Structure formats: C-alpha cells, structure tokens
Amino acid sequence: MDGITPGGLPAHLDGFVRAVREAGIPVGISSAVDAAHVLTAVDLLDREQLRHGLAAVLLHRAAQRPTYDVLFDLWWPLTDRPSVPSEAEPAQDGAPDDGVPDADRQAALAAELRAELLRKLLDGDEEALRRFARQAVEQLGQGQPSPSGQSFFSYRVLRALSPDTLVSQLLDGLLGGADRGGLAEQVARQTVRERLAAFRAAVEAEVRRRSAAERGRERVARTAVKPLADQVDFLRAQSADLAELRRSVAPLARRLAARLSAKRRLGRAGRLDFRKTVRASLATGGVPVVTHHKPRAVHKPELVVLCDISGSVAGFSHFTLMLTQALREHFSGVRAFAFVDSTDEVTRFFTPGADVADAVQRIGREADVVSFDGHSDYGNAFGVFAERWASAVGPKTSLLVLGDGRTNYRQPGLPVLADLVRRSRSAYWLNPEPARLWGSGDSAADKYKQVIPMIEVRNAAQLAEFVTTL
C-alpha cells in the first residue's frame, strides 16, 4: 500500500487510529493495542482483510462504519496505478496529432469507458470495479483546480459515464433474457442498485485519495468525513439525519425516564404495617426488632415539556418533539407545550404511533403559538403557560424546558419560571447552543441558569452524557 507515513507502519497506524478517534469514534488504549496486533495477524497485502480486521477491534456500532470506511480509504489506499491506456485511448502526454477535436476525443473515450463499465457491473467483481473507478477518475475526472487546491472531481466522472442510465441493459444481462416481473426482477434490481452504489463509492474514494495526495489526508478527512449521527448539531440537522436521530433518541428516552423517576423508586419505605410488625415481634418477646412496611405503589412519573419551536431552533425543535414522543411511552402523563411568543398545548398531536414529521407540520399549521410577531418571547410564553396551565406542574411533575433562551431583548419572565421550578419535583433546561454563547447578544441563558439547572445539549452524544450523569 502506498502513502505509508514516514516512520513506518506503527506510526502510520497511530495516525489512522488518531483520525478515527477525532472523527468521534471512541477508541480506547486497549483497542489501539488490539489494532496493532491485527497488523501481525492479517495479510497486509489483502486490503479488504485489513479493513475488516481493524474494523472488528476499533468499531462498536454499525452506524460508525461509513465514517470508518472513508478514513480507511484515505490512510490505506490501493497500491496499484491505473493500467496503461490501450491503443484506442488517447495518449496522456503531449498534444494529439490526429486532428480529432478534444471534445470528440473525450466523447469517444467516455463511450469506450462506459461500455467497459457495463461489463464490469455485469461481472460483479468488486475489486475489478474499484480498479476501473481509479482508471475512470484518472482519465475523466480532472478539471480546473478549485480554490481549495482540489483538481479531481467525482461529478465529472459520473456525468461522463452516466451509470444510472445503464439500468435497463444491466437488468437484461442479469435476467439472461427471462421475462420481466416477479421475484427474479426484484432481485436483479436490488443487485443493480448495490453495484451502482459500489461504483459511485469507489469513484468518490479515488477522488479523496488523489485530493489527500495533493492537500494532505488530515485536511481532506476534516471535510470528507460526515459527522456521526450522535454528533450532528441539532441546530444544523438535515432531514437525512433525522432517521438516525430517531433511532438514537428512543433508548435515551428510556434511560431519561428511569433517571427522572429514580428518586421516587428509591425513596423511603411505605407506611408502617402495624399488624405484620406486631406479629413478627412475638418471636422476640413482644419487642419490634424488625418493622414491616406496606409496599409503596409505584407510579410512572409525570412530565411537562416546554419546547421552543421558533425558527432559530428549527432543527432542535424536531429533536425535542422526537424526544417528547419517545418519553410518552415511559411516563404516566406527558404533556407537551410548544411556544414562540405564546404557548399552546400540543399533546394532542402525539398520539401513539404518530409520525414526528407529521406532528411538526400540524403544530406549525394548527397550534396557537404566535400572538404578535412570531419572534421568540420567553417571558410572554411562560406567562401564558402559567396563566392557563399552572396546575400542570406539581410536586409529582418533572419539568423539561428545551430552547436556546434567546428572548429578542424582551422580558425573560424569570419570576414565573422560578415559581414553576419551585413547584415541580425536578426541573432541567436543555440548551442547544454552546455554553460559551450563553448570555451573549439577546441570550438570557445566563439569567435562566440561576433559577433552573441548564445543560448544554447540542447533539445526541451530549444528551446521553446528561442522562448518564443525571
């Protein structure tokens, strides 16, 4: 393999492990030691064996694999070079002397490579497909250098070869002339999708490899590696991130419910059972050495959630409503309230099995959360809540406030919030902004945290930390 770090294989492995850790995948010292043992147990010339061996000791969840694969391709690239151009391909050095225009020459090359791609896809040889991707990037992927210094681009290759337009021919080849329809076609279509995805991934990996050679692998890794789902900032979450976030939120909701109800479960014993205590004392001469108590009735705790759904925290509000939906399964009474510059109860939108995306859209259309100009007004929102639903918070209630605390320089409503916190059993505020920004600009977070425990929760990883330390 090329690109080994000066200092030998151990130093190169150390750089790779460091990059994996910096990408958000926790790698302990023991796992790093195991990775070094992997180098002595696998065939280093078999790249896929090395990939899977290191993955086995460095990864803990399947969701970490895409990030790992990107980094592996940067640190352990293929060693071979694209094959020497055939007679039909243009020479790479010097100007062409056959009088054929460059555009026609490129079109002819693309047509030839496209035919070769069709053959590779039909064969299904993954290694051959990866090597062909390197050849395609070499011959079709180069363009004018970008401001960042990158000079090879995957979109140029994919535009020239248009692999998605080969679906019909691939189906014909895989079905071997059999009639369309039925299970055979479904299997063939799935095979086509997988092979096309593998080719696109190989092209992107080769472009990253060349970019790493030009700009440095550490620099490329910072831009090429997509954050893990539990590290995506809620304020910047895209629709593609929500499905993975949903999977992360459900187990965290279970743990949060358990933590919030722990004091009740572990509290003092129930009322004294006089009869059992007297009966037991007969064995000790009437002295009640051991007292017996009636078992306490275990109730699920009650929860009130106050969610800021203003535009400044749109991504975070999707997460908070996901959390609310998940918590409903673990609390006897979950009441959800959304606010912008006014407050409305939105519990009705979270029926069992309701889709969170649909609930968010319905809240935007039907909930009465705007009374004036649609800009955040925490003071008025807290006041409306206390006026209309004061009885929702009591000694059996856990209160969760979710928002960034930016008031647009309006009254923060501290006395109202302080009264709600005083009347609740427990209260916490989860803030999606970095703690260093609390109190900056129109943020009243520095004032709010004086009356309610405020926790920085910018992503699912921080939520998990909060739940663990609660």
Side-chain angles (χ1 to χ4, degrees):
M1 298 179 186
D2 55 5
I4 296 298
T5 302
L9 195 57
H12 187 79
L13 177 64
D14 179 68
F16 174 63
V17 171
R18 190 183 305 274
V20 171
R21 188 181 293 120
E22 290 175 353
I25 299 174
V27 179
I29 296 177
S30 61
S31 296
V33 172
D34 290 341
H37 288 313
V38 167
L39 298 185
T40 66
V42 303
D43 181 0
L44 295 180
L45 298 180
D46 188 333
R47 185 166 173 267
E48 291 309 299
Q49 187 179 131
L50 177 62
R51 180 197 300 270
H52 298 313
L54 291 175
V57 298
L58 296 179
L59 303 185
H60 306 284
R61 305 197 314 270
Q64 298 167 345
R65 186 59 187 254
T67 297
Y68 166 85
D69 282 335
V70 170
L71 294 172
F72 183 88
D73 289 335
L74 286 173
W75 259 260
W76 311 90
L78 286 168
T79 57
D80 66 312
R81 293 288 180 260
S83 58
V84 177
S86 65
E87 296 179 359
E89 297 171 354
Q92 297 297 314
D93 299 322
D97 55 4
D98 56 3
V100 178
D102 287 343
D104 293 342
R105 185 182 301 277
Q106 283 295 104
L109 174 60
E112 183 174 344
L113 291 177
R114 180 178 162 85
E116 179 64 18
L117 173 61
L118 178 61
R119 291 191 291 270
K120 300 291 186 187
L121 291 170
L122 286 172
D123 291 341
D125 186 331
E126 295 182 6
E127 186 64 23
L129 197 62
R130 280 192 289 267
R131 297 179 191 278
F132 174 78
R134 295 194 66 170
Q135 177 186 350
V137 171
E138 169 71 24
Q139 297 179 319
L140 299 174
Q142 190 166 18
Q144 294 297 324
S146 68
S148 65
Q150 182 172 337
S151 57
F152 283 87
F153 306 91
S154 58
Y155 78 88
R156 293 177 61 89
V157 178
L158 299 177
R159 183 181 61 187
L161 298 181
S162 301
D164 289 332
T165 63
L166 299 174
V167 171
S168 180
Q169 294 171 268
L170 289 170
L171 284 175
D172 289 339
L174 292 176
L175 290 173
D179 294 336
R180 296 287 184 92
L183 180 61
E185 183 179 352
Q186 294 180 26
V187 172
R189 286 188 178 278
Q190 180 62 28
T191 301
V192 169
R193 283 193 292 268
E194 292 173 354
R195 292 181 184 179
L196 289 175
F199 174 68
R200 284 190 290 267
V203 170
E204 292 168 358
E206 174 61 13
V207 169
R208 282 194 297 268
R209 185 192 70 81
R210 290 177 177 273
S211 298
E214 296 172 344
R215 301 156 53 202
R217 56 169 64 96
E218 290 82 4
R219 183 179 175 187
V220 172
R222 285 194 294 269
T223 57
V225 175
K226 180 182 177 182
L228 297 172
D230 62 356
Q231 295 179 327
V232 174
D233 277 7
F234 294 135
L235 293 177
R236 297 177 176 82
Q238 304 296 318
S239 57
D241 301 315
L242 295 180
E244 185 61 36
L245 276 177
R246 217 172 269 124
R247 287 190 285 270
S248 301
V249 163
L252 289 175
R254 287 195 295 271
R255 292 168 59 191
L256 180 58
R259 298 284 181 173
L260 289 175
S261 60
K263 289 183 180 178
R264 170 171 293 189
R265 293 200 313 272
L266 300 176
R268 63 178 178 82
R271 295 177 60 185
L272 178 69
D273 190 326
F274 184 76
R275 289 187 176 181
K276 281 189 175 181
T277 300
V278 171
R279 189 179 299 116
S281 69
L282 296 177
T284 56
V287 179
V289 176
V290 178
T291 60
H292 292 265
H293 298 263
K294 295 180 179 180
R296 295 190 59 186
V298 179
H299 301 286
K300 289 185 178 180
E302 299 171 0
L303 177 69
V304 167
V305 183
L306 279 170
C307 306
D308 180 359
I309 61 169
S310 60
S312 63
V313 289
F316 184 59
S317 64
H318 275 73
F319 154 75
T320 61
L321 297 175
M322 272 190 246
L323 181 63
T324 301
Q325 176 79 324
L327 285 170
R328 279 178 60 86
E329 301 177 6
H330 307 285
F331 285 80
S332 61
V334 174
R335 298 185 68 179
F337 299 85
F339 66 88
V340 178
D341 62 358
S342 185
T343 303
D344 191 13
E345 183 167 5
V346 295
T347 311
R348 63 188 183 276
F349 300 110
F350 295 99
T351 56
D355 183 73
V356 175
D358 292 339
V360 170
Q361 293 178 1
R362 289 189 61 197
I363 290 171
R365 293 193 308 265
E366 304 173 30
D368 185 15
V369 295
V370 176
S371 64
F372 181 54
D373 59 2
H375 295 291
S376 295
D377 187 339
Y378 278 71
N380 188 62
F382 291 154
V384 171
F385 174 80
E387 180 182 347
R388 297 181 59 186
W389 298 284
S391 61
V393 178
K396 297 181 180 180
T397 307
S398 294
L399 174 65
L400 278 181
V401 183
L402 304 109
D404 59 3
R406 294 198 170 270
T407 64
N408 288 297
Y409 301 102
R410 296 169 176 172
Q411 290 298 319
L414 287 172
V416 178
L417 178 63
D419 182 62
L420 292 172
V421 173
R422 179 185 58 78
R423 291 192 287 111
S424 67
R425 188 169 66 89
S426 62
Y428 299 94
W429 184 313
L430 307 185
N431 193 323
E433 283 199 334
R436 67 178 184 276
L437 299 180
W438 297 353
S440 65
D442 63 341
S443 171
D446 57 334
K447 299 182 179 68
Y448 288 131
K449 72 178 183 179
Q450 296 175 14
V451 300
I452 181 173
M454 183 170 288
I455 298 93
E456 176 187 310
V457 177
R458 292 185 291 112
N459 51 48
Q462 288 187 325
L463 175 63
E465 182 179 354
F466 160 65
V467 172
T468 301
T469 58
L470 187 61

